[in-house]
């Protein structure tokens, strides 16, 4: 390979193939070519008459020679040698590349994706896709070491309930009927457990029609796993083994035990169910300090604060921007207090607070000169949420800094919210087993009280990104029917959507539990990328389009006819 040649190869005749990375004229008769393949580049000296332009594909046979003294390039692995006396065969000519091929120029992402085949030649993508492959391979090894068997579940299915919108595929043979593409293999892996597979895994493609973000694509890959006769502890064990193996495969270092935090603690300390524990700035509860306050803005279910060291230097406009941000996130406002050298609190609202209250804030937050303190007062959950977002906004280190902080978040609530029509919304999915200690509460709770019911669901978090979720499942059809009832899924609807699962449970279902984590996200963080598109060979843009194939595109009338479909005119 081009990038493998070294001084030890001097004197040998070699043949290398690759793309012309760059060309410099040496003299009238000779030209320097940097030839690139997946391993790197090598300098090749060719007859100046060869028409070898940027990105031409060539095969070169010549002799490896030491570079002339003073011309070695210490920044290049092959910098001590070059290939001389070359025979050149042009395998393919090439148009000038659509963007500069050096690694320094920032190229617009749409242009990169439009010509992804050229973009993939760059070392960043070469490295990232290989990192991803290592992750996949290590996961397979780890799961197989633990006795898991790889099973492929179908892509054309009836809807799965992961809470997102389905992508659907029209049926030609049954016009007017649709398959859904799987949001996950959830139901099939549970059916595998009823089928005695015992330990299932799959590196599964999942499809969810949700708005795209830096950490989200329509389709994504996840390690999906399920096991029978196991507890939550066993699942942590299996998944930790896989994630530690994947990390070691990329970084060379095996992470230690993965710490745990309860969902409730995570919300209290970090205001998030996916806390980034690479930095402090934890939330403090100040509700007691304001128990008998005269200041209306602080008469709230919850008052909480965070301390930002050095923040006293923030300009007025930065503080205004942060306040606007909190309002956009759904807050009523944001109170800031700068800590002066004599530890007095400089704030537009200081005059509304009693001396005891000001002292209480300083003490609880451990205020030091030069800090800025941010306070939010609202309903409990919203206060946590807003300060959690603010904490990340102000403190989150870049992806390549602060190490890899894996974290299990345990004891998730069973329901995340009560919808406008009074039905509880499942926090995970409707097959999640309630926490053993909260079964009675589940039966007696009404309205908002339901939000206190915990579940046997857990998440794996890395540096503030949710990698994945799992749970102990309900394996009895009576309990499952009862949960459907609480969720407001009527018997008829339950039969229609999940009847086959309820039926399966009647034929001997083992207790089972499982998990799934997103491979794109793990690969991105391990590759040091902030955006999962950088570890996906052919991703969609933020707006869900593929600039290369132009998908999504219209289909022709014959195809529509065959499917029994008619497209309505689009509303302006
Ligand atoms: N099916 C779930 C998901 O894709 C994971 C699980 O519960 O195993 O999020």
């Amino acid at each position: 390979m081009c990038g493998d040649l070294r001084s030890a190869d001097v004197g040998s005749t070699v043949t290398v193939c690759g793309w012309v990375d760059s060309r410099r004229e040496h003299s009238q008769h000779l030209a320097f070519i940097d030839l690139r393949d997946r391993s790197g580049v090598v300098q090749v000296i060719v007859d100046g008459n060869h028409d070898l332009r940027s990105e031409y594909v060539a095969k070169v046979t010549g002799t490896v020679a030491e570079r002339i003294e003073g011309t070695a390039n210490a920044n290049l692995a092959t910098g001590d040698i070059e290939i001389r006396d070359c025979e050149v065969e042009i395998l393919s000519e090439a148009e000038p590349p659509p963007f500069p091929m050096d690694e320094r120029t920032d190229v617009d992402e749409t242009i990169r994706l439009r010509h992804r085949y050229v973009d993939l030649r760059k070392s960043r993508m070469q490295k990232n896709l290989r990192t991803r492959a290592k992750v996949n391979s290590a996961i397979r090894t780890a799961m197989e070491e633990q006795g898991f068997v790889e099973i492929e579940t179908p892509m054309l299915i009836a809807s799965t309930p992961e809470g997102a919108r389905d992508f659907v595929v029209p049926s030609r043979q049954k016009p007017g009927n649709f398959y859904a593409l799987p949001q996950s293999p959830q139901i099939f892996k549970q059916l595998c457990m009823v089928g005695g597979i015992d330990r299932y895994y799959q590196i599964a493609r999942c499809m969810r029609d949700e708005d795209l973000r830096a950490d989200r694509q329509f389709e994504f890959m996840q390690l999906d796993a399920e096991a029978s006769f196991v507890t939550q502890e066993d699942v942590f064990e299996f998944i930790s083994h896989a994630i530690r193996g994947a990390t070691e495969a990329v970084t060379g270092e095996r992470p230690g035990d993965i710490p745990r935090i309860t969902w409730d603690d995570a919300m209290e300390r970090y205001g998030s169910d996916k806390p980034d524990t690479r930095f402090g700035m934890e939330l403090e509860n100040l509700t007691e300090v304001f128990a008998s306050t005269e200041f209306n803005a602080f008469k709230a279910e919850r008052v909480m604060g965070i301390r930002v060291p050095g923040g006293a230097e923030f300009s007025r406009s930065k503080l205004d921007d942060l306040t606007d941000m909190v309002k956009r996130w759904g807050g009523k406002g944001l109170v800031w207090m700068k800590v002066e050298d004599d530890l007095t609190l400089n704030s537009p609202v200081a005059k509304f607070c009693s001396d005891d209250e000001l002292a209480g804030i300083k003490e609880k937050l451990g205020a030091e000169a030069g800090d800025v303190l941010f306070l939010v007062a609202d309903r409990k959950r919203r206060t946590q949420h807003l300060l959690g977002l603010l904490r990340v906004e102000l403190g989150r280190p870049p992806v390549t800094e602060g190490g890899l902080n894996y974290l299990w978040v345990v004891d998730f609530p069973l329901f995340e919210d009560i919808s406008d029509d009074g039905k509880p919304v499942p926090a995970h999915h409707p097959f999640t087993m309630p926490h053993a200690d909260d079964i009675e509460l589940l039966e007696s709770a009404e309205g908002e009280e339901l939000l206190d019911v915990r579940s046997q669901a857990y998440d794996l978090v890395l540096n503030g990104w949710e990698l994945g979720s799992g749970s102990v499942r309900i394996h009895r059809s009576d309990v499952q029917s009862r949960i459907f009832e609480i969720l407001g899924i009527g018997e008829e609807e339950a039969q229609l959507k999940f009847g086959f699962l309820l039926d399966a449970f009647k034929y001997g279902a083992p207790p089972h539990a499982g998990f799934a984590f997103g491979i794109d996200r793990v690969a991105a963080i391990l590759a040091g990328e902030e955006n999962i598109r950088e570890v996906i060979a052919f991703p969609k843009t933020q707006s869900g389009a593929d600039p290369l194939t132009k998908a999504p595109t219209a289909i022709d009338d014959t195809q529509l006819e065959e499917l029994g479909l008619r497209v309505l005119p689009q509303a302006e």
Side-chain angles (χ1 to χ4, degrees):
M1 304 296 294
C2 295
D4 295 342
L5 297 171
R6 296 287 184 277
S7 294
D9 301 304
V10 167
S12 34
T13 302
V14 294
T15 298
V16 287
C17 296
W19 286 262
V20 174
D21 197 61
S22 64
R23 174 186 180 126
R24 279 152 292 141
E25 301 310 321
H26 179 53
S27 62
Q28 234 175 346
H29 306 295
L30 292 176
F32 284 122
I33 301 289
D34 273 348
L35 198 68
R36 167 185 13 94
D37 64 16
R38 67 176 152 83
S39 65
V41 295
V42 67
Q43 179 164 294
V44 176
I45 300 185
V46 301
D47 186 321
N49 291 324
H50 282 296
D51 184 22
L52 276 175
R53 304 185 205 172
S54 194
E55 299 309 309
Y56 271 39
V57 186
K59 175 176 170 182
V60 173
T61 302
T63 311
V64 181
E66 205 79 49
R67 288 197 195 181
I68 299 168
E69 244 201 271
T71 63
N73 179 353
N75 297 325
L76 203 64
T78 59
D80 289 329
I81 55 100
E82 61 197 13
I83 308 179
R84 291 189 197 148
D85 306 322
C86 295
E87 227 172 80
V88 175
E89 185 185 338
I90 294 177
L91 301 175
S92 219
E93 296 182 351
E95 306 230 328
F99 39 75
M101 292 301 286
D102 66 84
E103 307 284 337
R104 295 172 303 276
T105 316
D106 232 353
V107 182
D108 174 71
E109 198 190 20
T110 311
I111 299 175
R112 287 177 61 199
L113 293 181
R114 162 93 178 74
H115 298 278
R116 189 60 148 183
Y117 40 83
V118 176
D119 190 50
L120 290 180
R121 288 180 205 156
K122 291 195 182 185
S123 63
R124 177 187 192 178
M125 288 308 299
Q126 289 281 325
K127 174 182 131 292
N128 287 356
L129 294 181
R130 287 187 164 77
T131 294
R132 185 188 178 107
K134 278 187 199 159
V135 168
N136 275 332
S137 163
I139 287 173
R140 287 209 160 86
T141 306
M143 294 313 282
E144 274 153 30
E145 278 167 1
Q146 301 178 102
F148 282 77
V149 49
E150 185 172 1
I151 306 259
E152 291 143 317
T153 52
M155 296 300 279
L156 297 174
I157 63 168
S159 188
T160 34
E162 298 287 356
R165 205 176 285 119
D166 282 326
F167 278 102
V168 295
V169 178
S171 157
R172 175 180 57 84
Q173 287 173 326
K174 267 177 98 184
N177 290 277
F178 296 82
Y179 300 98
L181 297 176
Q183 290 184 33
S184 84
Q186 184 63 36
I187 296 183
F188 289 99
K189 68 175 171 177
Q190 292 195 244
L191 292 174
C192 282
M193 295 305 106
V194 184
I197 300 293
D198 194 65
R199 291 185 177 193
Y200 142 96
Y201 89 97
Q202 179 180 198
I203 293 188
R205 188 175 297 273
C206 304
M207 271 148 296
R208 300 182 189 177
D209 188 358
E210 296 177 294
D211 290 340
L212 306 194
R213 296 189 310 226
D215 64 353
R216 192 186 274 164
Q217 286 269 304
F218 285 147
E219 47 186 306
F220 59 93
M221 302 301 287
Q222 61 181 18
L223 164 69
D224 193 50
E226 195 77 16
S228 295
F229 310 110
V230 296
T231 61
Q232 176 168 310
E233 287 305 316
D234 298 312
V235 176
F236 292 160
E237 191 70 36
F238 302 143
I239 299 297
S240 298
H241 187 60
I243 200 76
R244 291 163 78 196
T247 308
E248 186 177 11
V250 176
T251 66
E253 271 172 59
R254 195 167 179 86
D257 284 341
I258 299 177
R260 294 182 199 178
I261 189 170
T262 64
W263 182 87
D264 208 53
D265 270 357
M267 296 305 294
E268 289 287 10
R269 290 172 54 193
Y270 301 100
S272 169
D273 59 4
K274 44 180 187 211
D276 190 337
T277 55
R278 287 176 301 164
F279 64 102
M281 270 170 64
E282 291 188 22
L283 280 53
E284 294 295 337
N285 188 348
L286 306 172
T287 317
E288 279 297 304
V289 174
F290 294 99
S292 47
T293 188
E294 303 280 314
F295 183 31
N296 277 335
F298 283 166
K299 288 181 183 162
E301 185 186 357
R302 249 317 160 83
V303 186
M304 298 184 93
I306 56 171
R307 174 177 95 88
V308 183
E313 289 180 358
F314 287 179
S315 67
R316 192 56 194 256
S317 77
K318 170 148 184 157
L319 293 168
D320 289 344
D321 286 349
L322 292 170
T323 307
D324 287 344
M325 218 177 255
V326 168
K327 286 185 183 159
R328 252 182 288 127
W329 292 332
K332 291 199 273 278
L334 178 67
V335 167
W336 55 261
M337 299 182 162
K338 289 185 173 181
V339 188
E340 304 287 346
D341 284 343
D342 62 359
L343 294 189
T344 51
L345 294 180
N346 162 7
S347 166
V349 308
K351 57 179 176 288
F352 304 117
C353 301
S354 71
D355 289 346
D356 279 353
E357 286 166 359
L358 292 173
I361 299 172
K362 282 191 274 190
E363 197 215 298
K364 281 263 181 190
L365 283 167
E368 288 178 21
D371 294 345
V372 66
L373 314 177
F374 288 111
L375 277 67
V376 168
D378 212 310
R379 305 261 316 270
K380 173 176 162 186
R381 291 282 175 243
R382 188 173 306 139
T383 305
Q384 292 171 332
H385 177 64
L386 295 171
L387 278 176
L389 290 175
L390 189 67
R391 171 182 176 271
V392 170
E393 171 69 29
L394 293 171
R396 182 174 186 265
V399 63
T400 46
E401 287 169 25
L404 296 169
N405 282 23
Y406 289 105
L407 181 68
W408 287 109
V409 182
V410 303
D411 294 349
F412 263 67
L414 192 58
F415 308 110
E416 71 179 12
D417 205 359
I418 309 284
S419 69
D420 293 339
D421 56 2
K423 292 177 188 168
V425 181
H428 190 34
H429 47 55
F431 314 118
T432 302
M433 186 79 102
H435 197 289
D437 298 341
D438 290 354
I439 301 277
E440 267 173 44
L441 178 61
L442 176 66
E443 285 303 332
S444 64
E446 277 174 44
E448 296 261 318
E449 286 168 7
L450 279 169
L451 298 180
D452 292 331
V453 178
R454 288 166 303 165
S455 69
Q456 298 187 52
Y458 31 85
D459 270 11
L460 180 61
V461 171
L462 170 57
N463 295 359
W465 278 16
E466 180 200 323
L467 290 188
S469 318
S471 57
V472 174
R473 323 297 184 186
I474 298 166
H475 67 281
R476 282 177 28 197
S477 43
D478 56 338
V479 181
Q480 186 65 72
S481 297
R482 177 76 187 109
I483 292 287
F484 284 152
E485 202 179 303
I486 292 170
L487 292 173
I489 302 178
E491 205 167 324
E492 210 174 311
E493 187 186 351
Q495 268 309 321
L496 196 73
K497 283 191 178 158
F498 313 118
F500 59 95
L501 183 71
L502 296 175
D503 276 353
F505 285 174
K506 291 181 190 151
Y507 291 91
H512 56 286
F515 199 79
F517 68 76
I519 292 189
D520 309 272
R521 292 182 182 180
V522 180
I525 293 178
L526 292 179
E529 294 286 0
E530 302 273 4
N531 194 312
I532 59 170
R533 295 194 290 271
E534 299 297 347
V535 295
I536 299 174
F538 299 102
K540 306 278 185 292
T541 60
Q542 194 96 12
S543 58
D546 175 6
L548 201 165
T549 64
K550 303 284 185 285
T553 53
I555 55 174
D556 61 34
D557 289 343
T558 337
Q559 244 176 323
L560 283 173
E561 182 100 3
E562 225 171 28
L563 297 168
L565 295 179
R566 187 165 302 146
V567 178
L568 296 175
Q570 291 299 296
E572 280 300 307

Short mmCIF file of all heavy atoms in Angstrom, two decimals, residues 161-162 183-187 189-190 206 208 220 222-226 428-429 432 458 466 468-471 473 513-517, ligand 1:
data_model
loop_
_atom_site.label_atom_id
_atom_site.label_comp_id
_atom_site.label_asym_id
_atom_site.label_seq_id
_atom_site.Cartn_x
_atom_site.Cartn_y
_atom_site.Cartn_z
N PRO A 161 -44.32 0.15 18.66
CA PRO A 161 -44.63 1.32 19.47
C PRO A 161 -43.42 1.91 20.18
O PRO A 161 -43.26 1.71 21.36
CB PRO A 161 -45.60 0.76 20.49
CG PRO A 161 -45.13 -0.65 20.67
CD PRO A 161 -44.45 -1.08 19.43
N GLU A 162 -42.56 2.65 19.51
CA GLU A 162 -41.47 3.34 20.21
C GLU A 162 -41.79 4.82 20.38
O GLU A 162 -40.94 5.61 20.74
CB GLU A 162 -40.14 3.18 19.46
CG GLU A 162 -39.65 1.74 19.32
CD GLU A 162 -39.12 1.13 20.61
OE1 GLU A 162 -39.05 1.84 21.63
OE2 GLU A 162 -38.81 -0.07 20.58
N GLN A 183 -39.53 0.66 13.92
CA GLN A 183 -38.87 1.67 14.76
C GLN A 183 -37.84 0.98 15.64
O GLN A 183 -36.91 1.62 16.14
CB GLN A 183 -39.91 2.40 15.60
CG GLN A 183 -40.82 3.30 14.77
CD GLN A 183 -41.79 4.08 15.61
OE1 GLN A 183 -41.49 4.47 16.73
NE2 GLN A 183 -42.97 4.33 15.08
N SER A 184 -38.02 -0.31 15.84
CA SER A 184 -37.04 -1.16 16.52
C SER A 184 -37.56 -2.58 16.40
O SER A 184 -38.72 -2.78 16.07
CB SER A 184 -36.91 -0.79 18.01
OG SER A 184 -37.93 -1.43 18.75
N PRO A 185 -36.72 -3.58 16.66
CA PRO A 185 -37.22 -4.97 16.61
C PRO A 185 -37.94 -5.38 17.89
O PRO A 185 -38.08 -6.57 18.16
CB PRO A 185 -35.95 -5.80 16.42
CG PRO A 185 -34.85 -4.82 16.14
CD PRO A 185 -35.27 -3.54 16.77
N GLN A 186 -38.37 -4.42 18.69
CA GLN A 186 -38.89 -4.70 20.03
C GLN A 186 -39.80 -5.93 20.12
O GLN A 186 -39.54 -6.85 20.88
CB GLN A 186 -39.62 -3.47 20.57
CG GLN A 186 -40.13 -3.62 22.00
CD GLN A 186 -39.00 -3.82 22.99
OE1 GLN A 186 -37.93 -3.25 22.84
NE2 GLN A 186 -39.22 -4.65 23.99
N ILE A 187 -40.89 -5.91 19.34
CA ILE A 187 -41.86 -6.99 19.53
C ILE A 187 -41.28 -8.32 19.07
O ILE A 187 -41.47 -9.35 19.72
CB ILE A 187 -43.17 -6.66 18.79
CG1 ILE A 187 -43.78 -5.41 19.44
CG2 ILE A 187 -44.14 -7.83 18.84
CD1 ILE A 187 -45.09 -5.00 18.88
N LYS A 189 -38.18 -9.27 19.14
CA LYS A 189 -37.22 -9.88 20.06
C LYS A 189 -37.94 -10.47 21.26
O LYS A 189 -37.51 -11.49 21.80
CB LYS A 189 -36.11 -8.89 20.45
CG LYS A 189 -36.48 -7.70 21.28
CD LYS A 189 -35.21 -6.93 21.65
CE LYS A 189 -35.52 -5.61 22.30
NZ LYS A 189 -34.31 -4.90 22.73
N GLN A 190 -39.06 -9.87 21.64
CA GLN A 190 -39.83 -10.48 22.74
C GLN A 190 -40.44 -11.80 22.28
O GLN A 190 -40.49 -12.77 23.04
CB GLN A 190 -40.90 -9.50 23.22
CG GLN A 190 -40.29 -8.28 23.91
CD GLN A 190 -41.30 -7.46 24.71
OE1 GLN A 190 -41.55 -6.33 24.39
NE2 GLN A 190 -41.88 -8.05 25.75
N CYS A 206 -33.06 0.68 12.45
CA CYS A 206 -34.35 1.15 12.95
C CYS A 206 -34.73 2.42 12.22
O CYS A 206 -33.85 3.21 11.86
CB CYS A 206 -34.26 1.46 14.44
SG CYS A 206 -33.70 0.07 15.41
N ARG A 208 -37.26 5.84 12.21
CA ARG A 208 -38.23 6.68 12.93
C ARG A 208 -38.36 8.01 12.21
O ARG A 208 -37.36 8.66 11.93
CB ARG A 208 -37.76 6.90 14.38
CG ARG A 208 -37.62 5.58 15.12
CD ARG A 208 -37.21 5.71 16.57
NE ARG A 208 -36.91 4.37 17.09
CZ ARG A 208 -36.47 4.09 18.30
NH1 ARG A 208 -36.27 5.08 19.16
NH2 ARG A 208 -36.23 2.85 18.67
N PHE A 220 -31.20 4.51 11.78
CA PHE A 220 -30.00 4.39 12.59
C PHE A 220 -29.79 2.94 12.96
O PHE A 220 -30.69 2.12 12.81
CB PHE A 220 -30.10 5.28 13.84
CG PHE A 220 -31.27 4.95 14.72
CD1 PHE A 220 -31.12 4.07 15.78
CD2 PHE A 220 -32.51 5.50 14.48
CE1 PHE A 220 -32.21 3.74 16.58
CE2 PHE A 220 -33.60 5.18 15.28
CZ PHE A 220 -33.45 4.31 16.34
N GLN A 222 -28.68 0.07 15.80
CA GLN A 222 -28.49 -0.13 17.23
C GLN A 222 -28.14 -1.57 17.54
O GLN A 222 -28.53 -2.48 16.82
CB GLN A 222 -29.70 0.35 18.04
CG GLN A 222 -31.01 -0.34 17.74
CD GLN A 222 -32.16 0.22 18.59
OE1 GLN A 222 -32.07 1.31 19.14
NE2 GLN A 222 -33.22 -0.53 18.72
N LEU A 223 -27.36 -1.72 18.63
CA LEU A 223 -27.20 -3.06 19.15
C LEU A 223 -28.48 -3.34 19.90
O LEU A 223 -28.80 -2.66 20.87
CB LEU A 223 -26.02 -3.18 20.12
CG LEU A 223 -26.11 -4.47 20.93
CD1 LEU A 223 -25.88 -5.69 20.07
CD2 LEU A 223 -25.21 -4.48 22.12
N ASP A 224 -29.21 -4.35 19.46
CA ASP A 224 -30.49 -4.69 20.07
C ASP A 224 -30.31 -6.05 20.73
O ASP A 224 -29.78 -6.97 20.10
CB ASP A 224 -31.54 -4.73 18.94
CG ASP A 224 -32.94 -4.77 19.50
OD1 ASP A 224 -33.24 -3.94 20.36
OD2 ASP A 224 -33.73 -5.64 19.07
N ALA A 225 -30.70 -6.17 21.99
CA ALA A 225 -30.47 -7.44 22.68
C ALA A 225 -31.63 -7.75 23.62
O ALA A 225 -32.33 -6.85 24.09
CB ALA A 225 -29.17 -7.36 23.48
N GLU A 226 -31.81 -9.03 23.86
CA GLU A 226 -32.88 -9.48 24.77
C GLU A 226 -32.46 -10.82 25.36
O GLU A 226 -31.79 -11.61 24.66
CB GLU A 226 -34.19 -9.62 23.97
CG GLU A 226 -35.44 -9.74 24.82
CD GLU A 226 -35.92 -8.40 25.42
OE1 GLU A 226 -35.48 -7.32 24.96
OE2 GLU A 226 -36.72 -8.44 26.35
N HIS A 428 -40.94 4.76 28.45
CA HIS A 428 -40.14 3.89 27.58
C HIS A 428 -41.07 3.36 26.51
O HIS A 428 -41.37 4.05 25.55
CB HIS A 428 -39.47 2.81 28.42
CG HIS A 428 -38.44 2.01 27.70
ND1 HIS A 428 -37.64 2.54 26.75
CD2 HIS A 428 -38.11 0.70 27.79
CE1 HIS A 428 -36.83 1.59 26.27
NE2 HIS A 428 -37.10 0.47 26.88
N HIS A 429 -41.55 2.14 26.63
CA HIS A 429 -42.61 1.67 25.75
C HIS A 429 -43.58 0.84 26.58
O HIS A 429 -43.28 0.53 27.74
CB HIS A 429 -42.07 0.92 24.53
CG HIS A 429 -41.02 -0.10 24.85
ND1 HIS A 429 -41.23 -1.10 25.76
CD2 HIS A 429 -39.75 -0.23 24.43
CE1 HIS A 429 -40.13 -1.83 25.86
NE2 HIS A 429 -39.21 -1.31 25.07
N THR A 432 -42.94 -2.23 29.34
CA THR A 432 -42.01 -2.07 30.46
C THR A 432 -42.65 -2.46 31.79
O THR A 432 -43.74 -2.00 32.13
CB THR A 432 -41.54 -0.61 30.52
OG1 THR A 432 -40.93 -0.31 29.27
CG2 THR A 432 -40.56 -0.39 31.64
N TYR A 458 -34.10 1.49 32.24
CA TYR A 458 -32.79 2.08 32.48
C TYR A 458 -32.22 2.59 31.17
O TYR A 458 -32.57 2.09 30.09
CB TYR A 458 -31.84 1.04 33.08
CG TYR A 458 -32.17 -0.37 32.60
CD1 TYR A 458 -31.67 -0.86 31.40
CD2 TYR A 458 -33.03 -1.16 33.35
CE1 TYR A 458 -32.02 -2.14 30.95
CE2 TYR A 458 -33.38 -2.44 32.91
CZ TYR A 458 -32.87 -2.92 31.71
OH TYR A 458 -33.23 -4.16 31.26
N GLU A 466 -27.78 10.28 25.20
CA GLU A 466 -28.46 9.04 25.52
C GLU A 466 -28.03 8.01 24.48
O GLU A 466 -28.32 8.15 23.31
CB GLU A 466 -29.98 9.24 25.45
CG GLU A 466 -30.74 7.98 25.78
CD GLU A 466 -32.17 8.00 25.27
OE1 GLU A 466 -32.81 9.06 25.29
OE2 GLU A 466 -32.63 6.93 24.84
N GLY A 468 -28.80 4.65 24.79
CA GLY A 468 -29.87 3.69 24.57
C GLY A 468 -30.65 3.41 25.84
O GLY A 468 -30.33 3.92 26.92
N SER A 469 -31.68 2.60 25.65
CA SER A 469 -32.59 2.29 26.75
C SER A 469 -32.93 0.80 26.75
O SER A 469 -32.79 0.13 25.74
CB SER A 469 -33.93 3.00 26.57
OG SER A 469 -33.75 4.30 26.13
N GLY A 470 -33.44 0.39 27.88
CA GLY A 470 -33.93 -0.97 27.96
C GLY A 470 -34.80 -1.12 29.19
O GLY A 470 -34.98 -0.17 29.95
N SER A 471 -35.34 -2.32 29.36
CA SER A 471 -36.18 -2.54 30.53
C SER A 471 -36.38 -4.03 30.76
O SER A 471 -36.11 -4.85 29.89
CB SER A 471 -37.55 -1.87 30.35
OG SER A 471 -38.19 -2.32 29.18
N ARG A 473 -39.23 -6.64 30.95
CA ARG A 473 -40.51 -6.57 30.26
C ARG A 473 -41.62 -7.22 31.08
O ARG A 473 -41.37 -8.08 31.93
CB ARG A 473 -40.45 -7.31 28.92
CG ARG A 473 -39.16 -7.17 28.17
CD ARG A 473 -38.85 -5.75 27.76
NE ARG A 473 -37.62 -5.75 26.95
CZ ARG A 473 -37.01 -4.66 26.53
NH1 ARG A 473 -37.45 -3.47 26.87
NH2 ARG A 473 -35.92 -4.74 25.80
N ALA A 513 -35.79 -9.55 29.64
CA ALA A 513 -35.39 -8.15 29.74
C ALA A 513 -34.40 -7.87 28.61
O ALA A 513 -33.80 -8.80 28.06
CB ALA A 513 -34.72 -7.88 31.09
N GLY A 514 -34.24 -6.59 28.27
CA GLY A 514 -33.32 -6.29 27.18
C GLY A 514 -32.90 -4.85 27.12
O GLY A 514 -33.18 -4.06 28.04
N PHE A 515 -32.25 -4.56 26.02
CA PHE A 515 -31.66 -3.24 25.88
C PHE A 515 -31.33 -2.98 24.42
O PHE A 515 -31.24 -3.92 23.61
CB PHE A 515 -30.34 -3.18 26.68
CG PHE A 515 -29.91 -1.77 26.98
CD1 PHE A 515 -30.49 -1.05 28.00
CD2 PHE A 515 -28.93 -1.13 26.20
CE1 PHE A 515 -30.12 0.25 28.27
CE2 PHE A 515 -28.55 0.17 26.45
CZ PHE A 515 -29.14 0.86 27.51
N ALA A 516 -31.16 -1.71 24.08
CA ALA A 516 -30.65 -1.36 22.75
C ALA A 516 -29.87 -0.06 22.86
O ALA A 516 -30.29 0.85 23.58
CB ALA A 516 -31.79 -1.18 21.77
N PHE A 517 -28.70 0.00 22.21
CA PHE A 517 -28.01 1.30 22.16
C PHE A 517 -27.58 1.65 20.74
O PHE A 517 -27.30 0.77 19.93
CB PHE A 517 -26.86 1.41 23.17
CG PHE A 517 -25.66 0.54 22.90
CD1 PHE A 517 -24.74 0.86 21.90
CD2 PHE A 517 -25.43 -0.59 23.68
CE1 PHE A 517 -23.62 0.08 21.69
CE2 PHE A 517 -24.32 -1.39 23.46
CZ PHE A 517 -23.42 -1.05 22.46
N1 LIG B 1 -36.79 -1.14 21.78
C1 LIG B 1 -36.16 -0.17 22.64
C2 LIG B 1 -35.63 1.00 21.80
O1 LIG B 1 -35.36 0.84 20.61
C3 LIG B 1 -35.01 -0.72 23.41
C4 LIG B 1 -35.41 -1.81 24.33
O2 LIG B 1 -36.30 -1.63 25.17
O3 LIG B 1 -34.78 -2.87 24.26
O4 LIG B 1 -35.43 2.08 22.31
#
